[in-house]
Amino acid sequence: CHHPLQGIPADVLFGMWTVLDRDYGFTKALADKTWFGDVPPVMVNIKTSPTTSVSVPFSKISPPAWEGGYIRPVFDNTAGRIIMTGEFKRKFQKEVDNVLMSIEQQLRTTSLYKGKSIQLNFDWKKTGEYNFDLHSPVFVTPPNLSYADVILNKPIETAFQSSIFSRLCNREMCIKNGIAFKQGVILGGPYGTGKSLSGALISKVATDNGVTFIHLKDAKYAAEAMLIAKHYGPSVLFCEDIDQVVQGEARTEDLNNILNTLDGIDTKNMEVICIFTTNHPERINSAFLRPGRIDKLILMELPDSKSAQRFLEKHGRAADGTSLLSSDIDLEACGAVLANKPPAFIASIIDEAKTLAIYHNPDATSLEGTTTINPPSFS
């Protein structure tokens, strides 16, 4: 028996154990016999949610009815997948084949990761040794964000809606009207323009609509992550700092792997939205930007005056949502002053105004109606 199973290793092991437990009720994990004696079965801990886990054998597994025959999951460190090996009498071949087909069906219908938000880890590729505790995906609970929490300039907001959110929220309608789910998007721009916060909102919208969200921090493994995203599609792959591996005009091995995966035969029709971030869009290799690989370049900007007004209104509130802004405040003038300032700077200015109001009115039950004046002199 030598049967590769597609999917994240932890997902495959969980699917295998689920099927065997369901179909046989009891299966025995066998020890390995060596020159130095029996080696007990290896058990690995598989996270099944952010707060739950299950112990699963990563060794020979023998249902009683197989008369000593067994199957055994083995990690293939070349392809990063599980291969099911085993030995059994020929009369059990059909039964083993049915088990393998059931595992594949289990992965398609009751996957641990499909429709969830996860963070991938490819550190094992540096050593070739896979550790289920260290290298299995981490479940990430999407933040409780709404569209109103992510303030973008209107043209950027429109680009997000057309390229990403419409596909996530109206996937079936898009497909019905000949719009492919597959999309390549770059979010480019300097620090503090909302790329990471936008990614957090996308993770929430994706999982709310049953779409897998995969976060990859190390862009070096973008090609491998795309293949995993394809298997767990419809999905979003959010990959940070892509310029680290696709900068300059030299065709490196990492770049070629990403290009070949983005528009290869095996991924032409994959249901994956690939979103890459960069602080330096000007450094990206021109081959990577070719249509069909990247469909949309969204240049993130610092807030314009209208967005600055929205930031002022958002941060100028008490914890209960009550506005602390004076009724006669000139929002348009404030927006003009705060335009082209990072959101963190705007939030800091507002927090400073709040703390000064508290300093000068320590007995007030609320900041409403209080006035801020110049800070005291410590000279």
Side-chain angles (χ1 to χ4, degrees), residues 196-210:
S196 295
L197 184 61
S198 297
L201 175 61
I202 292 168
S203 75
K204 177 71 164 59
V205 176
T207 52
D208 281 352
N209 286 277

Side-chain angles (χ1 to χ4, degrees), residues 96-115:
V96 172
D97 289 342
N98 288 337
V99 166
L100 295 173
M101 286 191 295
S102 293
I103 294 172
E104 291 174 339
Q105 177 67 15
Q106 175 78 11
L107 289 169
R108 286 192 295 269
T109 59
T110 320
S111 161
L112 287 176
Y113 304 119
K114 196 171 177 65

